[in-house]
Amino acid sequence: MQSLDQFAQAKLDDLQRRHLRRALAETLREDGIWVERDGRRLMSFSCNDYLNLSQHPAIKQAAQAAIDKYGAGSGASRLVTGNHPLYAELEARLTRIKQTEAAVVFGSGYLANAGIVPVLIGRDGLVLVDELAHACIFAGAQLSRGKVMTFRHNDLDHLRKLLGEHRAAHEHVLIVTDGVFSMDGDLAPLAELNTLANEYDVWLMSDDAHGLGVVGGGRGSSFSGNTHIPVPLQMGTLSKAVGAYGGYLCASAPVVDLIRNRARTLIYSTGLPPSCVAASIAALDLIEREPGYAALPVQKAKAFTTRAKLPEAQSPIVPVIIGAEEATLAASQMLADEGFLAAAIRPPTVAAGTARLRLTFTAQHPDDAIERLADIVREKIMARA
Ligand SMILES: Cc1ncc(COP(=O)(O)O)c(C=O)c1O
């Protein structure tokens, strides 16, 4: 036991030395935007609850009603007895929103990515992943035991080169990208990726964790730019703009049926609590009904980037890249002193030398607070970076 503790302590000391040690900070979310932390009340620009739906009265009510009707937990994996009646309703709604034939809901977005990729790609396959894609896509790719290669961020020429060099050696090839990049807030060129995938007869999967509910009129990144890009594998999560918890894949009927039969993270993991599924249904109802509300987070992010003189926001996520870890922590602390919660994001979540404040904008952020934050970022952070 002693060697185990020594091992852990040495690792922690190393993280500490490199300003990379993390700690869980107790955070009490009062409503959509205000949080309490260390006895202080701060306006959060660090939640992924882009539409503030985790706190919406009708959505909380839907979750409570589901607990009363079906209980606190689902009791088993979906393929055993955990498939309560709300699942079919949620999957029908996702299918309609994404305009695919079918949908399957997982326990989380992480579980979805870790489960989907190994069903589609085996030892002989190839997974081509954008270098800035989310960690759980890489986890899924590693679990597939196929060959994993990264292409430079949003670089179609590099991807084409890799396809030209490696396509012929593999029967099945899967390209995976975030639709909205989680730490940079930019969008993937899905139309061009889809054309390239068709040209080389390979499969394309997008992770729309940060797109559903906030871009493309709320339908997500495959609907942005007023066109519908028929990405065959559209994965996402119910934990960001939808305000609840869970992951999903929208795809054709046979693909979804195969995933239900083979995805280990679906088969060997307990179904979601009924309250999560009910909250997601109520949230998607609202998103479908109110595209104007769904457009607000990106509008607010754009107002911020214009005033802060940063590149125009494409999503509710705006990175303020500082570089050094220590300086990023200091900037986060300075903003806390001004009443704002803006979390410092450090390696390995982002590449070395690109530590940043990752700001997220939500429908209910007041315009005057956004202006004040922009002025501080422009004058006290970017001017010194
Ligand atoms: C792009 C992306 N994919 C997947 C996930 C994982 O989703 P979940 O939080 O539902 O596990 C996240 C967020 O954590 C994400 O940002």
Side-chain angles (χ1 to χ4, degrees):
M1 204 53 193
Q2 215 188 359
S3 71
L4 176 60
D5 290 346
Q6 278 168 359
F7 165 81
Q9 196 56 55
K11 290 273 181 198
L12 289 170
D13 292 346
D14 179 52
L15 288 172
Q16 184 80 32
R17 241 186 330 274
R18 295 189 288 136
H19 305 287
L20 293 176
R21 187 164 174 179
R22 301 165 188 225
L24 293 170
E26 191 167 289
T27 308
L28 195 150
R29 296 182 65 226
E30 278 179 25
D31 59 10
I33 54 173
W34 288 100
V35 301
E36 215 181 289
R37 197 181 251 194
D38 299 329
R40 274 200 296 192
R41 195 163 177 267
L42 302 170
M43 185 180 285
S44 173
F45 284 88
S46 289
C47 298
N48 297 320
D49 190 9
Y50 303 118
L51 298 172
N52 314 106
L53 297 186
S54 74
Q55 308 289 334
H56 191 287
I59 291 162
K60 290 202 283 193
Q61 177 53 41
Q64 280 158 4
I67 291 176
D68 290 342
K69 192 161 178 192
Y70 300 110
S74 71
S77 86
R78 293 191 61 191
L79 285 165
V80 183
T81 57
N83 195 42
H84 48 76
L86 294 167
Y87 267 116
E89 206 180 324
L90 176 57
E91 288 172 347
R93 211 144 302 210
L94 286 164
T95 301
R96 187 171 71 217
I97 290 176
K98 293 291 186 179
Q99 292 181 18
T100 55
E101 279 177 7
V104 53
V105 169
F106 286 78
S108 73
Y110 199 112
L111 287 172
N113 276 330
I116 296 163
V117 183
V119 175
L120 302 174
I121 295 294
R123 278 183 200 281
D124 299 337
L126 169 66
V127 192
L128 290 164
V129 190
D130 185 290
E131 63 182 343
L132 296 188
H134 193 263
C136 60
I137 295 176
F138 285 96
Q142 300 295 347
L143 284 170
S144 78
R145 300 189 216 182
K147 189 174 171 72
V148 182
M149 301 181 84
T150 54
F151 57 94
R152 285 194 291 274
H153 177 52
N154 278 350
D155 188 335
L156 294 161
D157 291 337
H158 189 215
L159 179 58
R160 179 183 285 282
K161 183 167 174 286
L162 292 176
L163 284 166
E165 287 168 4
H166 300 278
R167 171 69 188 97
H170 305 273
E171 188 180 357
H172 300 306
V173 177
L174 177 67
I175 301 170
V176 198
T177 181
D178 287 15
V180 175
F181 285 86
S182 61
M183 293 298 135
D184 291 78
D186 55 340
L187 307 188
L190 286 181
E192 291 81 356
L193 287 170
N194 202 40
T195 305
L196 202 53
N198 288 334
E199 192 183 321
Y200 282 85
D201 187 24
V202 302
W203 305 328
L204 175 64
M205 174 160 135
S206 62
D207 175 335
D208 214 20
H210 299 275
L212 178 65
V214 284
V215 299
R219 288 168 179 262
S221 51
S222 58
F223 291 85
S224 68
N226 293 329
T227 50
H228 173 214
I229 304 143
V231 176
L233 298 153
Q234 299 183 48
M235 172 274 162
T237 170
L238 305 164
S239 63
K240 318 280 187 214
V242 176
Y245 200 63
Y248 65 85
L249 175 71
C250 292
S252 69
V255 168
V256 164
D257 206 7
L258 177 67
I259 294 290
R260 287 192 176 130
N261 276 275
R262 302 294 293 168
R264 297 174 71 83
T265 56
L266 183 84
I267 299 170
Y268 299 109
S269 188
T270 299
L272 282 166
S275 52
C276 281
V277 180
S280 298
I281 294 168
L284 290 173
D285 268 353
L286 188 144
I287 290 166
E288 278 191 288
R289 251 191 350 258
E290 298 191 32
Y293 186 70
L296 284 177
V298 180
Q299 283 171 20
K300 304 246 173 192
K302 284 188 172 168
F304 171 83
T305 49
T306 302
R307 189 158 174 130
K309 298 200 181 344
L310 289 168
E312 186 179 55
Q314 296 174 43
S315 75
I317 302 165
V318 176
V320 177
I321 297 175
I322 295 173
E325 287 82 42
E326 219 174 343
T328 309
L329 290 170
S332 174
Q333 185 55 51
M334 186 269 285
L335 286 176
D337 294 340
E338 297 280 353
F340 297 119
L341 174 58
I345 307 288
R346 291 166 284 166
T349 308
V350 292
T354 71
R356 67 196 63 188
L357 302 173
R358 172 184 180 269
L359 302 176
T360 51
F361 293 83
T362 77
Q364 287 171 17
H365 275 122
D367 293 338
D368 56 350
I370 291 173
E371 286 169 11
R372 198 166 77 80
L373 178 65
D375 291 345
I376 297 172
V377 167
R378 194 185 62 241
E379 287 160 17
K380 296 195 182 165
I381 297 177
M382 294 320 291
R384 290 178 199 168

